[in-house]
Amino acid sequence: MSEWIYFFDLWGTAVFALTGALAAGHHRMDPFGVLVLAGVTAVGGGSIRDALLGTTPVFWLQDPTYILIVLATVIATIIFNRTSPNAPWYVLPIADALGLALFTIIGTEKALSLGLSSISAVIMGVLTGVGGGIIRDVLCRQVPMVLRTEIYATASIVGGIAYCICLSTALDHFTSMCIAMLSAFGIRLAAIKWHLSLPAFDLKR
């Protein structure tokens, strides 16, 4: 089971590094800027999670594979951009949705493995899923997606809850992870396609 979690974690790192690199490209950053934005997007949420859980040094300091994944993703993105046409507009939001789903379940699982309650685990999952994207958007001087009316954090919350519910049944860990990730990913894709959003809070004067 731990091998699957590690695989999903590395895959999520690559996906979020890709979203950071693409965002840097949209803002015409230099290669170092691309690396920084990809790095904070990929490991930002997990770093905050580990700091709150007290599991230090944080994961990417213990295992340099994560840094190598980020570096490889950045290099591949830069090379691909120079040799191929610009990526379609939907690549970034879809990649971000996949990273959100992957990291949500990874964060939830890590919190559960430390003996935290399901509520706390879901919170840690959401933080892992949205943390890197928040840092990325702030550095790009944009309002983070999690703070917009468009459904984003809600998809992460549903994924975390689905994972905890699946684990409480007879389903095994791998099946539970797949169901939960598909739940979060599907909700986020639906929000992107049909522009689903929560009602905005309008302060009455």
Side-chain angles (χ1 to χ4, degrees), residues 63-151:
D63 185 356
T65 303
Y66 291 94
I67 302 301
L68 295 177
I69 290 291
V70 171
L71 183 59
T73 302
V74 167
I75 293 174
T77 303
I78 292 175
I79 293 176
F80 179 80
N81 181 67
R82 291 183 180 277
T83 58
S84 303
N86 292 331
W89 68 268
Y90 51 81
V91 172
L92 178 57
I94 290 178
D96 185 81
L98 179 58
L100 175 71
L102 288 167
F103 273 3
T104 293
I105 308 310
I106 294 298
T108 304
E109 167 60 28
K110 186 161 189 176
L112 289 174
S113 69
L114 294 176
L116 271 67
S117 67
S118 295
I119 294 178
S120 298
V122 171
I123 293 173
M124 288 296 102
V126 173
L127 181 59
T128 307
V130 307
I134 290 176
I135 299 173
R136 176 198 63 211
D137 292 344
V138 169
L139 291 178
C140 291
R141 293 184 294 181
Q142 295 179 335
V143 177
M145 279 192 284
V146 69
L147 300 181
R148 304 174 198 169
T149 56
E150 185 176 308
I151 292 177

Side-chain angles (χ1 to χ4, degrees), residues 1-9 66 106 109 173 177:
M1 177 55 204
S2 59
E3 293 180 357
W4 280 111
I5 294 176
Y6 186 61
F7 170 78
F8 282 133
D9 207 10
Y66 291 94
I106 294 298
E109 167 60 28
H173 278 73
M177 291 184 74

